Amino acid sequence: MVLGLAMLAGCSSAGPSTVPAGLTNQAGPTSAAGYPASSSAARHILGSASSSSLRSPKNIGGYPYDDGGWSQLVLPILQSCGEGAYSNNCANWEFPASINRIGGIGPGAPPVFDFCNQAAAYPQASLGNSATPISPLGPAIFALTYIGTQPLPIVTFLTRPDVASLTGTFTSNSATAPNMTLTPLLTSTAGRGWLLFFTWSWPADLILIPYQVNEIQLAASSSPVGLPNGGSAPLGAFDCLQQRIQAYALGTGFAFAPLPAHGGWGWGPGPADLTASSATSELQATVYAIGGPPLGFILLADDRQATALTTVGPPTPAPTASPAPTATPAPTPSPSPTPGR
């Protein structure tokens, strides 16, 4: 989904005109443009990065949505590393340990940085599990090791340094940062961004890890929304800022009301059918297929600029169980040779 949004938002090809605000703990002097002076990877990747750490909404179907600064980065082809993280080669990066404030220490997988000032109020009884684990506001500790072959040092960049701060990152020519701490900085507003780590020279190895503070929380059953043709599916969300939620249907083949209410399947949805609202900080709505393959996004927003985005499409088929392996008969041993032959 994030890669698709980056394509929708587009990437600027302009060269550096301002000093990026998100560089932290960099080794050596910086150039006049604010990059590490001799890092060709920094010049390439951060060439369009802005010094502004404020939200920069992009246009998604006519509505503003902040991609956390993704579209300001110049990136190679990436693959998913799980938990929302991306890399050009996930095998080059290891997460020895991460401390999730509600889940204990978990090695191996990328950490989840989803902070909410009302984490304890998430209505699990009615919405089920959240799409990502939710942590209360407070520091999160994790480690990262680079095991690839590109030359060091590792550059660290935060696309939104006003949303969260990072300490304890890579130093000098170290390939391991054993005790990094990401601390959310927002309390009554919302924001999101990306932690970016990359090697010194271009082409570089890199990894991006998302972080967000007080954004709207989607229910796991709504991320994505699997909508069968002619059927319906639930949409559930919770607002960390205790605001009412507005949902917008952005795509084709789906709406928040079934088409027969308009007198037949030949009618298109009215404007009211493309939006849904909550009376409280919890949204429960129904998404209906209205003819044709459902395809698009649902954008959720509140009055304080907190947002969430989920995709809508056909349900993902359940994996088919593999048949039990057939036992291979043991080979018949060859007869022992007869003496004298």
Side-chain angles (χ1 to χ4, degrees):
M1 181 185 71
V2 174
L3 292 174
L5 287 177
M7 295 177 65
L8 286 171
C11 292
S12 170
S13 60
S17 58
T18 54
V19 178
L23 288 164
T24 66
N25 291 10
Q26 301 311 307
T30 58
S31 67
Y35 308 113
S38 57
S39 173
S40 58
R43 293 194 301 269
H44 180 92
I45 297 170
L46 305 179
S48 298
S50 169
S51 63
S52 173
S53 59
L54 300 177
R55 306 209 77 167
S56 303
K58 309 302 176 185
N59 188 295
I60 304 294
Y63 295 91
Y65 176 78
D66 180 17
D67 65 7
W70 174 284
S71 57
Q72 295 179 344
L73 305 173
V74 179
L75 301 168
I77 296 174
L78 300 175
Q79 59 184 226
S80 172
C81 303
E83 305 296 352
Y86 290 89
S87 174
N88 65 311
N89 187 345
C90 300
N92 287 330
W93 304 90
E94 287 185 345
F95 294 92
S98 62
I99 300 178
N100 186 308
R101 289 172 56 83
I102 60 174
I105 298 177
V112 176
F113 299 126
D114 181 9
F115 304 100
C116 176
N117 67 3
Q118 297 290 326
Y122 175 82
Q124 186 168 5
S126 54
L127 294 183
N129 291 335
S130 58
T132 59
I134 305 172
S135 298
L137 298 183
I141 303 171
F142 69 107
L144 178 62
T145 296
Y146 175 65
I147 58 173
T149 59
Q150 296 288 355
L152 301 175
I154 303 293
V155 179
T156 301
F157 183 75
L158 284 77
T159 61
R160 294 289 187 266
D162 67 325
V163 174
S165 65
L166 182 68
T167 58
T169 188
F170 293 89
T171 59
S172 186
N173 283 324
S174 173
T176 298
N179 193 31
M180 287 189 281
T181 302
L182 185 73
T183 303
L185 301 178
L186 306 179
T187 55
S188 58
T189 55
R192 63 169 56 90
W194 294 88
L195 290 177
L196 172 60
F197 303 96
F198 56 90
T199 53
W200 196 252
S201 302
W202 186 259
D205 288 333
L206 58 88
I207 189 167
L208 295 108
I209 306 169
Y211 58 91
Q212 65 175 29
V213 181
N214 292 333
E215 297 286 14
I216 293 173
Q217 303 292 328
L218 283 162
S221 59
S222 301
S223 182
V225 176
L227 187 58
N229 285 337
S232 63
L235 175 68
F238 171 72
D239 195 287
C240 290
L241 300 175
Q242 299 294 283
Q243 302 296 301
R244 297 168 61 181
I245 300 173
Q246 188 83 4
Y248 305 90
L250 310 174
T252 60
F254 64 96
F256 294 110
L259 274 184
H262 293 280
W265 289 98
W267 294 79
D273 301 332
L274 298 178
T275 62
S277 302
S278 70
T280 66
S281 59
E282 178 183 351
L283 172 70
Q284 291 194 58
T286 303
V287 185
Y288 296 90
I290 55 173
L295 186 64
F297 301 98
I298 293 177
L299 174 67
L300 300 96
D302 69 11
D303 290 338
R304 294 190 186 177
Q305 297 185 322
T307 59
L309 193 74
T310 186
T311 55
V312 179
T316 302
T320 304
S322 300
T326 303
T328 302
T332 303
S334 300
S336 299
T338 302
R341 291 192 181 180

